[in-house]
């Protein structure tokens, strides 16, 4: 069973940057596509970005295209989300997930506990 632990969240001013990390267990991590999702207060969990097993294919939500970059280092069992030009509407709990390369939460089998990102205006 995969275990995923996110880190890197925090408080940042609008226009700033943060890099989230998600560390996974060894063999399981290298067998899955990875995704980032977020849940803002009072809203559903929304897709943010995803990356294929090899890292050659990526998906992004329209709201983050050009600002966020997903990457992975399979040797370190870690997936990253570089977030630039942050906006107050990016404020949410961010979750990483392991599963199939997709935008739907239903395609992911394992989830981290989440890390809070707060963007002040």
């Amino acid at each position: 069973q995969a275990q995923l632990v996110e880190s890197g969240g925090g408080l940042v001013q609008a226009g700033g940057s943060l890099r989230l990390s998600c560390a996974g267990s060894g063999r399981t991590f290298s067998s899955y596509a990875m995704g980032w999702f977020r849940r803002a207060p009072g809203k559903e969990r929304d897709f943010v970005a995803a990356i294929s097993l090899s890292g050659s294919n990526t998906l992004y939500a329209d709201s983050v295209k050009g600002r966020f970059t997903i990457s992975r280092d399979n040797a370190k069992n870690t997936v990253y989300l570089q977030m630039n030009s942050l906006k107050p509407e990016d404020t949410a709990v961010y979750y990483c997930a392991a599963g199939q390369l997709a935008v739907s939460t239903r395609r992911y089998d394992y989830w981290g506990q989440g890390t809070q990102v707060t963007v002040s205006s």
Side-chain angles (χ1 to χ4, degrees):
Q1 185 170 350
Q3 291 186 330
L4 303 171
V5 179
E6 302 97 335
S7 61
L11 174 64
V12 63
Q13 289 188 330
S17 298
L18 282 175
R19 188 176 81 156
L20 305 183
S21 299
C22 173
S25 56
R27 291 180 61 189
T28 305
F29 178 88
S30 62
S31 300
Y32 290 96
M34 299 296 296
W36 284 98
F37 291 77
R38 65 187 181 187
R39 188 197 300 268
K43 295 189 176 181
E44 299 285 327
R45 189 174 298 194
D46 291 331
F47 171 75
V48 175
I51 189 166
S52 63
L53 175 61
S54 67
S56 59
N57 294 310
T58 57
L59 300 172
Y60 292 96
D62 288 343
S63 58
V64 307
K65 278 181 182 177
R67 299 188 299 123
F68 291 11
T69 302
I70 189 170
S71 61
R72 67 189 295 166
D73 185 338
N74 287 341
K76 296 182 178 180
N77 299 328
T78 303
V79 62
Y80 304 97
L81 185 68
Q82 178 67 44
M83 306 186 295
N84 299 328
S85 303
L86 282 161
K87 305 174 181 180
E89 51 264 44
D90 294 317
T91 295
V93 178
Y94 283 71
Y95 301 88
C96 72
Q100 299 177 30
L101 184 66
V103 302
S104 171
T105 58
R106 293 189 296 271
R107 297 297 186 182
Y108 292 84
D109 300 310
Y110 303 102
W111 293 84
Q113 83 289 349
T115 186
Q116 176 71 46
V117 172
T118 303
V119 184
S120 63
S121 58

